[in-house]
């Protein structure tokens, strides 16, 4: 069971499949928001919690209050 949509890139198919299952793997740590794509989470964190996305030297994504700097230890 499914639809006949065709995608050039497998990542787009993966996101599309999540629409059929209502899967939302990204969860906000500050509220009940969840989403399928990182860009949606980035928008949510900035617009709802006033936080910007930063990538740590080891590749993790963290969110900091607007204007805060990432400090490496």
């Amino acid at each position: 069971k499914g639809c006949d949509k065709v995608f050039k890139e497998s990542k787009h198919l993966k996101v599309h499949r999540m629409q059929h299952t209502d899967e939302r793997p990204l969860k906000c740590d500050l509220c009940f928001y969840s989403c399928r794509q990182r860009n949606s989470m980035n928008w949510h964190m900035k617009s709802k919690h006033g936080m910007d996305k930063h990538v740590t030297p080891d590749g993790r994504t963290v969110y900091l209050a607007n204007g805060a700097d990432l400090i490496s230890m």
Side-chain angles (χ1 to χ4, degrees), residues 10 13 22 68 70:
S10 63
L13 175 60
D22 201 32
L70 183 63

Side-chain angles (χ1 to χ4, degrees), residues 24-70:
R24 295 169 182 260
L26 300 172
K27 312 285 185 209
C28 178
D29 291 334
L30 303 175
C31 69
F32 294 108
Y33 179 80
S34 63
C35 58
R36 295 177 186 95
Q37 295 180 290
R38 176 67 56 198
N39 63 339
S40 297
M41 184 58 72
N42 294 342
W43 171 85
H44 169 78
M45 294 302 287
K46 186 171 189 75
S47 65
K48 302 300 180 186
H49 301 299
M51 303 180 94
D52 291 320
K53 173 187 167 184
H54 295 273
V55 178
T56 64
D58 62 356
R60 291 180 298 125
T61 297
V62 297
Y63 295 93
L64 301 174
N66 288 341
D69 291 321
L70 183 63

